[in-house]
Amino acid sequence: MKILGVSLFFFIFLAPFAFVTVQAFTGTYGINYGRIANNLPSPDEVVTLLKAAKIRNVRIYDADQSVLKAFSGTGLEIVVGLPNGNLRDVSADGDHAMSWVQDNVLAYLPDTCIRGIAIGNEVLGGSDQFSGFLLGAVKNVYNAVNKLKLSDVVQITTAHSQAVFANSFPPSSCVFRDNVVQYMKPLLEFFSQIGSPFCLNAYPFLAYMYDPEHIDINYALFLPTVGANDPKTKLHYDNLLDAQIDAAYAALEDAGFKKMEVIVTETGWASHGDENESAATVDNARTYNYNLRKRLAKMKGTPLRPKNVVKAYVFALFNENLKPGPTSERNFGLFKPDGSISYDIGFPGLKSSSADSLLLSLKDNRGCGWCGCYSIILTIATAFLLVFSR
């Protein structure tokens, strides 16, 4: 009876999880929750908004305690960020990296489903202020995560802008810039060893704004168009985002990392801009983000990598009124600061009349996902073993 009980315990409770490889991204659609603003909803209200929109994958650019506490028990999966300003200290001192991981990741697991740590953001390709610290920070944070037995739960990445590329069209011609290679190649070698993807911030909006004379706006917006052909690969592209992703794949292959996956960590379209940003309109933003959702829902790859399903985090959840730069920078949000939609792409807005009751039901229902059900499974499994071990 004991043997039967233990066998049943394994197949019922352990077998479903024995061969699971934890991924930082569930499905194909996620969103960036930027907070450079002074008028945003509370993190608890944001949880309500995300659950109502059925958006599970979320990235933030730091490890804010109020956000991580609000996400506890919700089943939402979050990637936290180590800001660029922290790279020097974390790169120089493994103990500092360990303390950061303990305070900002371990302290919130498993109730808050932290699935990844993004080390800096767009560090390479611009000024070299932090470039020399990136690899050291990545290694120290990974070593800390590994020592804490979290390397199969928390993925280590860093996101790159398209400034790391020397060429982007045709996609097959893309390579890393000469002044980036010295930092990029050892970084890719380490990511290849630990199984991390190449994270790309890809903006057809910016590409079109830079060269509107040679880029068809329909091509940038996923609308019907003649598209573009790559003369080397003979592949046809009917939208600019696919071409940008395949350009990254080409650069990775040229650098010797053909098998590395590309994940889009930022993409979006501004709904308002300055006079010289004529493409930043509500209609264009609605069109891009609506068609992006449809594109991702197809769960298909790109012309160059048809088996690698495209995954993307949209930028951004909210308009951020304190972001510096042109007006467009403050108008990428799918939602306004009051939680209402910026434009309709099928997501519901935040309804204050029912937000509190909905939030309470969400927080009480801790059975969503692995993080939420982990403690319940352990409790039931322990009781099961006790019964059959008598």
Side-chain angles (χ1 to χ4, degrees), residues 18-314:
F19 305 103
V20 171
T21 299
V22 178
Q23 300 290 331
F25 202 120
T26 300
T28 61
Y29 193 92
I31 201 159
N32 287 277
Y33 174 18
R35 304 187 322 282
I36 306 177
N38 60 8
N39 58 355
L40 298 183
S42 71
D44 282 338
E45 291 176 305
V46 171
V47 167
T48 304
L49 186 64
L50 291 168
K51 296 290 284 190
K54 298 181 180 178
I55 300 174
R56 184 173 182 179
N57 303 288
V58 184
R59 294 177 80 244
I60 59 176
Y61 294 89
D62 53 19
D64 183 80
Q65 291 187 5
S66 64
V67 174
L68 295 179
K69 288 178 180 177
F71 277 43
S72 175
T74 64
L76 297 173
E77 301 189 353
I78 188 168
V79 174
V80 299
L82 177 73
N84 290 358
N86 293 54
L87 295 180
R88 181 191 296 267
D89 291 340
V90 171
S91 175
D93 188 350
D95 290 338
H96 190 98
M98 175 61 78
S99 295
W100 192 92
V101 173
Q102 288 175 327
D103 293 343
N104 297 287
V105 178
L106 182 64
Y108 298 94
L109 293 171
D111 290 340
T112 300
C113 296
I114 299 175
R115 287 293 183 246
I117 304 173
I119 311 300
N121 185 52
E122 298 187 347
V123 175
L124 304 181
S127 71
D128 285 336
Q129 182 179 4
F130 303 110
S131 298
F133 308 121
L134 180 57
L135 180 59
V138 165
K139 287 184 174 180
N140 281 345
V141 170
Y142 175 78
N143 289 338
V145 167
N146 198 39
K147 287 179 182 177
L148 294 171
K149 310 298 183 185
L150 298 175
S151 59
D152 60 341
V153 176
V154 179
Q155 188 178 70
I156 308 301
T157 60
T158 189
H160 304 284
S161 74
Q162 290 186 297
V164 300
F165 302 132
N167 304 298
S168 59
F169 187 82
S172 61
S173 70
C174 190
V175 295
F176 291 111
R177 287 172 50 186
D178 290 340
N179 65 335
V180 168
V181 170
Q182 60 178 318
Y183 303 111
M184 183 67 77
K185 193 145 189 186
L187 181 67
L188 295 176
E189 287 173 352
F190 185 70
F191 279 160
S192 180
Q193 293 170 12
I194 65 175
S196 292
F198 181 87
C199 293
L200 175 67
N201 295 345
Y203 286 92
F205 167 74
L206 296 179
Y208 174 77
M209 290 288 293
Y210 179 76
D211 192 11
E213 292 185 6
H214 297 98
I215 297 177
D216 179 4
I217 195 168
N218 290 334
Y219 181 60
L221 293 173
F222 301 97
L223 292 173
T225 176
V226 295
N229 296 311
D230 189 315
K232 180 179 178 180
T233 62
K234 310 301 181 184
L235 295 173
H236 177 75
Y237 291 88
D238 59 14
N239 71 83
L240 181 51
L241 182 64
D242 278 5
Q244 290 178 326
I245 296 170
D246 276 355
Y249 276 123
L252 287 170
E253 184 171 351
D254 178 76
F257 301 93
K258 182 177 181 179
K259 295 182 179 180
M260 186 170 288
E261 180 186 17
V262 173
I263 290 180
V264 177
T265 36
E266 286 184 19
T267 190
W269 198 287
S271 60
H272 184 59
D274 295 320
E275 289 185 5
N276 63 341
E277 298 178 305
S278 59
T281 68
V282 170
D283 284 344
N284 286 344
R286 180 193 299 112
T287 299
Y288 181 81
N289 282 297
Y290 178 75
N291 288 335
L292 175 66
R293 282 191 71 192
K294 291 200 302 182
R295 164 68 180 86
L296 297 175
K298 293 178 181 178
M299 300 189 70
K300 70 173 188 177
T302 60
L304 186 63
R305 295 286 188 272
K307 294 183 180 179
N308 290 8
V309 175
V310 174
K311 305 171 184 177
Y313 290 90
V314 174

Side-chain angles (χ1 to χ4, degrees), residues 321-342:
N321 68 334
L322 298 182
K323 288 198 73 174
T327 298
S328 60
E329 285 291 327
R330 295 178 287 282
N331 289 278
F332 274 88
L334 299 185
F335 297 91
K336 298 177 181 179
D338 63 0
S340 63
I341 58 174
S342 296

